[in-house]
Each structure stands twice: as structure tokens, then as C-alpha cells.
Amino acid sequence: MDTVEIIKEQLSANKIVLYMKGAPNAPQCGFSAKASQALMACGEKFAYVDILSNPDIRETLKTYSKWPTFPQLYIDGELVGGCDIIADLYEKGELQDMVKGAVAE
């Protein structure tokens, strides 16, 4: 299975996926920490992929998503955005609605 197929499988198998540096309980950069904290504060389970442990996914995802930086949040297979967008959506209360909506489906 090539890397694009692996990414597609991850996105289809999980309603919410955060591609980040490290893990939610041990982020390896401030942006990943901020994004994962906002997502955890929504109170629902989500999948994550540590791109530092998966260099093929790290490089391929940039092209796949047409988004050059990490973290990257996907809900229902669609790219939501990176750290600033995640934080902004959380502050507006929109991220919580998006997460609850995805889990409820």
C-alpha cells in the first residue's frame, strides 16, 4: 500500500484525525500542543498520527492536502486547517460543534 492509500485509509477509518508532531499527551512542538489541547477540550475521542515517526506521511500529506505545515486537522475526511484555524474555531465555539457533529454521525 502506498503512502497516499495509507492516508486515505486513516481518514476513512476515523471521523477526526490530527496529523501532528508527537502525541496529544506528549506534543513535540508548540503548534501541535495548542491544536491537540483545543481538540481534547472538545471532549471527544480523536485519532492522531505522529508525523515525526512517519516521515513518508509527513512529506506526502503536504502534497495530498496542499497544506505545507503541521499540525493538520481532518474532520470527516476534509482538511479543516492548521493550528491557527483550529484555535480560532475553538475560541468561537465552532470546533466543538464540528467535532460533536462528526462523532454523532
Side-chain angles (χ1 to χ4, degrees):
M1 187 180 295
D2 74 358
T3 306
V4 170
E5 291 302 316
I6 292 169
I7 292 168
K8 287 180 180 179
E9 173 62 29
Q10 291 168 340
L11 295 176
S12 67
N14 301 283
K15 293 282 188 179
I16 304 164
V17 182
L18 182 64
Y19 290 91
M20 63 180 290
K21 294 178 180 176
N25 60 351
Q28 298 296 307
C29 82
F31 297 115
S32 289
K34 188 173 182 178
S36 61
Q37 287 168 356
L39 205 49
M40 287 188 292
C42 293
E44 298 292 343
K45 291 183 181 180
F46 62 93
Y48 74 91
V49 176
D50 176 7
I51 59 156
L52 298 177
S53 301
N54 297 282
D56 290 346
I57 289 176
R58 181 181 187 173
E59 289 308 310
T60 304
L61 197 59
K62 293 177 188 178
T63 305
Y64 179 84
S65 66
K66 297 177 180 61
W67 193 270
T69 60
F70 293 93
Q72 293 183 18
L73 173 63
Y74 287 78
I75 296 179
D76 289 327
E78 298 293 323
L79 176 66
V80 174
C83 180
D84 292 342
I85 292 171
I86 295 165
D88 187 52
L89 289 171
Y90 180 77
E91 288 169 16
K92 292 178 180 175
E94 294 175 23
L95 183 64
Q96 296 87 323
D97 293 340
M98 294 169 74
V99 167
K100 299 282 187 211
V103 173
E105 292 175 357

